[in-house]
Amino acid sequence: MNADPAGVLTGAHFIDGDHACCEGAIAAGCRFVAGYPITPSTEVVERIAERFPRVGGVFIQMEDEIASSIAIQGAVWAGKKAMTVTSGPGFSLMMEHVGFAAMTETPCVFVNVQRAGPSTGLPTQPAQGDMMQARWGSHGDYQAIAVCPNSPQECFDLTIKAFNLSEQYRVPVFLMMDECVGHMTERVLIPPAEEISLVPRRWFLGSPENYEPFRAGPDMVPQMVKAGDGFHIHVTGLTHDERGYPNMSVPAQEKLVQRLHDKITKHSATIADYVEDQVEGADIVVVTYGITSRTALPAIERARKEGLKVGHLRLVVVWPFPEHRIRELASRISAFVVPEMNMGQVVLEVERCSAGKVPATLVGHTGGTVHVPEDIYQGIVNSRKGR
Amino acid sequence: MNADPAGVLTGAHFIDGDHACCEGAIAAGCRFVAGYPITPSTEVVERIAERFPRVGGVFIQMEDEIASSIAIQGAVWAGKKAMTVTSGPGFSLMMEHVGFAAMTETPCVFVNVQRAGPSTGLPTQPAQGDMMQARWGSHGDYQAIAVCPNSPQECFDLTIKAFNLSEQYRVPVFLMMDECVGHMTERVLIPPAEEISLVPRRWFLGSPENYEPFRAGPDMVPQMVKAGDGFHIHVTGLTHDERGYPNMSVPAQEKLVQRLHDKITKHSATIADYVEDQVEGADIVVVTYGITSRTALPAIERARKEGLKVGHLRLVVVWPFPEHRIRELASRISAFVVPEMNMGQVVLEVERCSAGKVPATLVGHTGGTVHVPEDIYQGIVNSRKGR
Amino acid sequence: MAEELYELDENLPVNPVESLLRMDRMPHIWCPGCGIGTTVNCFAQALESSGLDLRKTAIVSGIGCTGRVAGYLNLDSFHTTHGRAIPFATGLKLANPELKVVVYSGDGDLSAIGGNHFIHAARRNMDVTVILINNSTYGMTGGQVAPTTPMTAVASTTPYGNFESAFNLPALAESCGAVYVARWTAFHVRHTTKAIKEALLKKGFSFVEILAPCPTLYSRRNKLGDGLAQMVYYRENSEIRHGADTKDVALEFQGKIIVGKFVDRVRPTFGEAMDRYLRERLGADYLPATAGGA
Amino acid sequence: MAEELYELDENLPVNPVESLLRMDRMPHIWCPGCGIGTTVNCFAQALESSGLDLRKTAIVSGIGCTGRVAGYLNLDSFHTTHGRAIPFATGLKLANPELKVVVYSGDGDLSAIGGNHFIHAARRNMDVTVILINNSTYGMTGGQVAPTTPMTAVASTTPYGNFESAFNLPALAESCGAVYVARWTAFHVRHTTKAIKEALLKKGFSFVEILAPCPTLYSRRNKLGDGLAQMVYYRENSEIRHGADTKDVALEFQGKIIVGKFVDRVRPTFGEAMDRYLRERLGADYLPATAGGA
Amino acid sequence: MAEEKKKKAAGSVVITVERCKGCGFCVEFCPPHALKLSDQYNVKGYHPPALISREMCNGCNMCGMLCPDFAIYGFLQNKKSGKGSDRER
Amino acid sequence: MAEEKKKKAAGSVVITVERCKGCGFCVEFCPPHALKLSDQYNVKGYHPPALISREMCNGCNMCGMLCPDFAIYGFLQNKKSGKGSDRER
Amino acid sequence: MARTEIKIGGFGGQGVILSGYIIGRAASIYDNKFATMIQAFGPEARGSACSAQVIVAEDPIAYPYITSPTQMVLMSQEAFSRFSPELAEGGLLITEEDLVTVRNLRPGIRHLSIPATRIAEELGKRMVLNIVMMGFYGAVAGVTSKEALRKAVEVSVPKGTEALNLSAFEKGWTFAGR
Amino acid sequence: MARTEIKIGGFGGQGVILSGYIIGRAASIYDNKFATMIQAFGPEARGSACSAQVIVAEDPIAYPYITSPTQMVLMSQEAFSRFSPELAEGGLLITEEDLVTVRNLRPGIRHLSIPATRIAEELGKRMVLNIVMMGFYGAVAGVTSKEALRKAVEVSVPKGTEALNLSAFEKGWTFAGR
Ligand SMILES: Cc1ncc(C[n+]2csc(CCOP(=O)(O)OP(=O)(O)O)c2C)c(N)n1
Ligand SMILES: Cc1ncc(C[n+]2csc(CCOP(=O)(O)OP(=O)(O)O)c2C)c(N)n1
Ligand code: SF4
Ligand code: SF4
Ligand code: SF4
Ligand code: SF4
Ligand code: SF4
Ligand code: SF4
Ligand SMILES: [Mg+2]
Ligand SMILES: [Mg+2]
């Protein structure tokens, strides 16, 4: 399925990441957004508010982030693609509904334009401190997907990808931007609608008698219907059976929650998205995501110039974590260097998956600004010394 | 400092874990509780509501968990020890205020009686699915402490410990119970007040002119004063300087957030609390926490009877994670087995710290009940085979 | 002729409300003498007689004993999170304006944790019907104090009596802008049915509060007898006062219960105002939302 | 003699409000013509003249431009999270009943995300004074629509005009049980000062709404001129109507502004009711809370 | 007697005995007091209602509206078909 | 003239010029209109107020109450000490 | 007996949980053994089946759930059909005589019954049937001392009802001696 | 020049960010180079100092912040004192003649100034001073083509003000030719 041309502003634009995210959402077919203002994410919804009435979308500024994060799920069950947009403090408030979306298999997108925390922190300055929260922030076991753009162009592209992944697997997908990317203005090329492919909702096309809303086929993702189509579905955050009815038994829990887990982990190779540069034959691999995939480049180049064999593994999708690839590399290289605008989050996963074969060195900081390339360079150099 | 005898019900009681937690809080000097009912934690506050008026405490049932989790912080700044009590969905709603407590160094205790999730899940059945949430649930980088009791007796003892740790380090401390422990009734021995040692608030005793509320000494924990004492303090969730004033600069962020991090990580050896049984000379070490430290025992015994050298490392404090001890053991044993009532959370840390030296096998499930000892036994046996 | 009647007849008439219920889920979880089931009869009858398209009617509940209503109704039904039925319903309604969206939930759910959504939806005049079952307590979790528990009443978290005033919910709803506000009790089945029907047919934020017994955790604990005793109490102490000033309808512990239709007024719904303004400002550029689209 | 006056004098009189401010934090962050600073003068004067012990007075703000007030006042001051000043204040007050606790925050903070805490604290008659600066928008985040933005006004998230009715905050506060409710504008500095003083001295939930210009993000965007123009508007369009029925004081876009003291009544505070009931039920076993204890 | 003749509406009830939880709403509020709680128990241990006498029931379904367990339903008798009964299901 | 003599209250103002943001509140709402915006700029680029004439000021401090930047303060003159001035700080 | 696993079942209102509590308290507080009590809990418990598990042991109890109950006290037909199949070989089954019809019992089960409800009704309060049961249980099960159980009854029942409950307890105990 | 790093500084209301946007847009959309614009952002920015950073390069821009600005356009004294020390050796400094007193300039800086405010006022709208600046900047900096910059001005200013702004632009451009 291709994008609806009515919503696609084909052409070259000089816009920031927040605005590009808005355009990505519209191109992806998103037609419902509920949000609550918070720096540095507000520009996304401000543009949505302006653009939506022209493309058949509905935007509502809700009373808080809790309301926003559940209103979008109501809209999804009414048949729309929907997203909400926030930053750290608001993201924390949305955690209960991340779990609800996971449990009810409601496809939806949460955009988090990360700023420096904890708490109110530095509201106008960038960080990547919510990465583990995107993995573990709601109670109970669930799986979600997190995608990290590094430019306004990617804010456009990956917003579309986030919607596609969300529809494909019926999970909440996090677009983990940061203030730097959100407020950075660059050229964004919006392709013609027919070059934008979308994953449509996985509609069930049969008749109500044959429909069990939470019975999945071999790919573990059930088909959906929407309210108003006469299916009289029931959707609950309680543990439920295939009909969607509450079932307070351990076997029901096992069946449901295991499937919710497996539908992501067993597809993790398909979901994985990373970009490699000179990783083959590398001695040191720098693992980056989001804006660090750019701020690390001067450091990588300098190190290469000085003769170090430095590869660059840039994670586009951070969750599910590409365990397999890290494990493979760990047995071939001599060190990982992981620059993060936090005090060490994704590096823990790199460390775990490198299984002691090679060290994983964090180049972290407490946030508020992007890395100085020098620091990453030193991290690369030190990772060699460390041996 | 010892407990106030007025609050201590010295003697032997046959009570459940929820009630024991209440008594532990009172013995620890807690005199303010704000809560919102949620199964299976409600009995804690029900007993608090009954007991508090007799011991000078104030209980208020707030309108929701968000309010509860910040009302306790108001009470702390008024000079009280305070806690709130909840379960998964409520815990998710408290995440913003976990970060606020961490940022403002407000000592307080969050009790989470875990039930099976995600979302509403199985409200009356046990799980340990919120362990990673206790580590990573709020946005931004921060450190907290999590303690896991395995019996009503420990619900009493470790509630006191939670308060003590919280006052010592001025951090939010999580008492991570579960439905099984919370609703299990056993003998609880409450010692005489003079045998209960408490960490008093780290009061600043000088005069206002010499006081900077967020300047810390060598142990990195600043001294506190309370509202009403004429210090005219300022407390903010924004990045702040030693006076407590907002300071939106990267150096201020670095100084503050690094200290908040270090005050826990650099004391992690002191905070660490684990119980070892036959770990010396063990071949396989079973790592447990909370109720699994009991449900694993029949399996461990059986394996030992069959000649396996099985050690048992039971984590009382799970966060900060006892990295050091796991690393040590990893170089001496041949496998870790980690039973958890979740799909693999703490096992990730065990795996990371064992650094590929030995495998860390999860014996997990989706929650709703405790382990069948047989499963853990099989996990032990298979961990040997795995080699 | 009498005999005729007693002939075994495979085609015994079936309670028409059953067609609106998921009978495969019976028996329901509600206690003996719980009033929630009674209100479901009223709702079913009201819905039936409203002439609304059942395919286009969705019901949303939060969490609680009343929150289970959604799960027993044979409609598109959503059992959401505690307190969040209204914002979920808001998303549902705005995303497909053809739907009639009903929120059916408990007093704790809608007025404690969900209070903010309640007042904002009323303010916006969001086009949803809210049915709130006021049983003076949190039933599901064991009878804790609620914002609707009258002063002095005992609850598990107010063992010495409640020292907070209860909300006057009709007054709250009116002050925020609800266009239809009524209160009845589970005893007043005909009135309740009529009120729900009116609410369903009203455009905008319509609100029906229904007092119902929770014998297990409220009445017994307060020595008020069982569900039947509460129903008898409702019969004997209710006063129908249509159009009463909502300032005068606050509830007190075992006091008089003012019931009736208090507010019935017209103002543009969120959707109507949105459509009007956007059309005014954008003219032909305005593309209103339609059903579906994902 | 005239000369005398112009002698350079090291001891020039100092604005007495300065002693209540953290002058080491000046200049503050507020824009030219922002009305928040004006209300701070009123508060400082009111507090000064109230005779309250400044050591025992604490101020709590949420997040927003107004939320910065706490940080500029030389009191025990708490800048909490967005919307949560009231529950924080609740904890502070209940844990030390000797404190006078003031909540000072923005319209968005207290009535959007914080709306639930507002209505519940009013219902409980929690003994706090709430000062709400209504600038019709979310200033801090760039001028988005707020629950106080009048219908049709333009905001960054309602570029084609707002299609939601604004809250009538005095009516909301009254319907929930506030014991003191007044509204003034930043222009009415003397009245505002008096109202704040009365509120500070009132037991229970007292509420003062103060309209104030946000030239940067509300007035200019709506072509209403700068802060001064808004102030002039307040002067010319306000009508003092003490005791007005709060149902009649809703605000409209550039409409008449009814100001005055609307509610002043007595009912037991949460703390008083708690003390009374517990003493009644527990007698000598009741041990009331005292300050400190950790 | 003459009055009784005038009563055109003759009704009856269907009682799904096993659903009943014995709350008594139907019995207490049946306008003509046509119901009583039966002496027998259902499997859940509750006393379901029973018609005291067929003639008393006017089919108003007040009982059905009140029954929180969907266990009783009152209806107007169709004399022709004779459909309807107070028999249990 | 005679009236002016009667005016007992003589006042003045202290203006902290560098704090002023030129909003004009003080000027517009000074009851006796004793203030004007000065032609000069402060370092922030705003025109701070100035007394038009000392005699006009009655020391009511309406200006001070209105000033959102704590930049002006009106006071009653103590003729004995002569304390007080409209001088800048 | 190192570890006795006891299941008590009935319907809501029969005092099932209190029975479990009394046994546990008797054993752990007055007999100085170890006891763990766990109650079945769930929205489903509402009004319908209800059960408690008690483990009594000489040594600390590791695994807190019962795995193979050796004693059962069942007070409703539903409890009987649901739980009795789990009873361990050679176990003790006590039923309420009038409420439970015992069918298809495996051989090797020691079955005793008592018309506890009737006895309670004779005492004037149907509610004390569980205490009658406890007296009977105490006399035949041998897990706790009589004194301990009596004491546990005394302190666990509502204030003011001690005398009635203790005589119910005695009735149950002596019924066993018949 | 592979990478030009430009800093624009002034106070709120002078159109600092728009200036950055115009340069970036000109370069990236009309000149087909690469450009990244970042605006200083913070509650502190309110009313006081305000700045934008623009990088223009022939190749994709990795590191998005400027590290050593080679060109500066400064429109307030505060911006001058804060930012000018960072200007790279050999860099280009453009100031608003009437608003900035240039002092202590390191040697090797190419300094030009223009009374943009006065010129704008002559045009009848003080607000267009930033566009005057852009004209001047375009003429002397050589980073973007004139056509590109003109076009960027045209589409970036509020509808209806295009003509005024374009003449402001031309005024600035020709001022440089003086
Ligand atoms: C976030 C969250 N907090 C608390 C709960 C626990 N909880 C479930 S239902 C309920 C109260 C229900 O009360 P009410 O809405 O009055 O419904 P009732 O059961 O009385 O019909 C609570 C507090 C929850 N499920 N989620
Ligand atoms: C949880 C959360 N959501 C959103 C924000 C962003 N935010 C900060 S201030 C504010 C609104 C402030 O508006 P108001 O209370 O009216 O204060 P004003 O700035 O107008 O004085 C918002 C939405 C936040 N800090 N935290
Ligand atoms: S607990 Fe109360 S509200 Fe819930 S089902 Fe039982 S009687 Fe009804
Ligand atoms: S943005 Fe508005 S409310 Fe905020 S300081 Fe500026 S004028 Fe005041
Ligand atoms: S149908 Fe009416 S008259 Fe007949 S039993 Fe029911 S309530 Fe009574
Ligand atoms: S109302 Fe229903 S549940 Fe109650 S007694 Fe009658 S039939 Fe039974
Ligand atoms: S003190 Fe009064 S009279 Fe004097 S300048 Fe100020 S406002 Fe005017
Ligand atoms: S009121 Fe204050 S800021 Fe405004 S012009 Fe006067 S002195 Fe300046
Ligand atoms: Mg309720
Ligand atoms: Mg505001």
Side-chain angles (χ1 to χ4, degrees), chain C residues 190, chain E residues 11-13 26-27 29-35 50-51 54 56-64 66 72-76:
Chain C
R190 307 270 186 227
Chain E
S12 189
V13 291
C26 55
V27 173
F29 301 117
C30 165
H33 302 290
L35 293 167
L51 268 187
R54 300 191 305 283
M56 290 169 77
C57 174
N58 62 24
C60 68
N61 193 33
M62 181 57 85
C63 52
L66 282 160
I72 190 169
Y73 170 52
F75 57 97
L76 279 178

Side-chain angles (χ1 to χ4, degrees), chain A residues 373-386:
Chain A
E374 174 69 19
D375 291 347
I376 301 177
Y377 170 76
Q378 284 303 336
I380 295 172
V381 171
N382 292 345
S383 78
R384 281 193 86 226
K385 288 200 197 117

Side-chain angles (χ1 to χ4, degrees), chain E residues 9 11-12 14 16 21 27 33 36-37 43-44 48 52 59 61 68 72 77 80 83 88:
Chain E
S12 189
V14 189
T16 312
K21 292 186 189 144
V27 173
H33 302 290
K36 62 172 196 282
L37 283 188
V43 280
K44 284 186 201 137
I52 295 171
N61 193 33
I72 190 169
Q77 260 178 245
K80 281 213 183 104
K83 265 191 195 172
E88 302 163 358

Side-chain angles (χ1 to χ4, degrees), chain C residues 53-68:
Chain C
D53 181 352
L54 299 185
R55 292 168 54 102
K56 301 282 178 210
T57 305
I59 180 153
V60 186
S61 290
I63 304 288
C65 294
T66 313
R68 294 300 188 99

Side-chain angles (χ1 to χ4, degrees), chain B residues 37-38 65, chain C residues 63-66 82 106-109 135 137-141:
Chain B
I38 184 166
E65 289 88 350
Chain C
I63 304 288
C65 294
T66 313
H82 187 40
D107 45 353
D109 188 75
N135 55 14
T137 195
Y138 291 4
M140 179 60 91
T141 43

Side-chain angles (χ1 to χ4, degrees), chain C residues 2 5-6 30 38 41 190, chain E residues 21 54 60 65-68 77:
Chain C
L5 289 176
Y6 281 87
W30 299 312
T38 304
N41 287 317
R190 307 270 186 227
Chain E
K21 292 186 189 144
R54 300 191 305 283
C60 68
M65 287 297 287
L66 282 160
C67 175
Q77 260 178 245

Side-chain angles (χ1 to χ4, degrees), chain A residues 96, chain B residues 36-39 65 86 89-90 93 115 120, chain C residues 36 63-67 81-82 84 105-110 113 133 135 137-141 144 146:
Chain A
E96 189 188 6
Chain B
Y36 188 78
I38 184 166
T39 306
E65 289 88 350
T86 191
L93 289 173
R115 62 191 222 185
T120 317
Chain C
I36 297 172
I63 304 288
C65 294
T66 313
T81 49
H82 187 40
R84 316 306 174 185
S105 210
D107 45 353
D109 188 75
L110 290 169
I113 191 169
I133 305 305
N135 55 14
T137 195
Y138 291 4
M140 179 60 91
T141 43
Q144 292 78 29

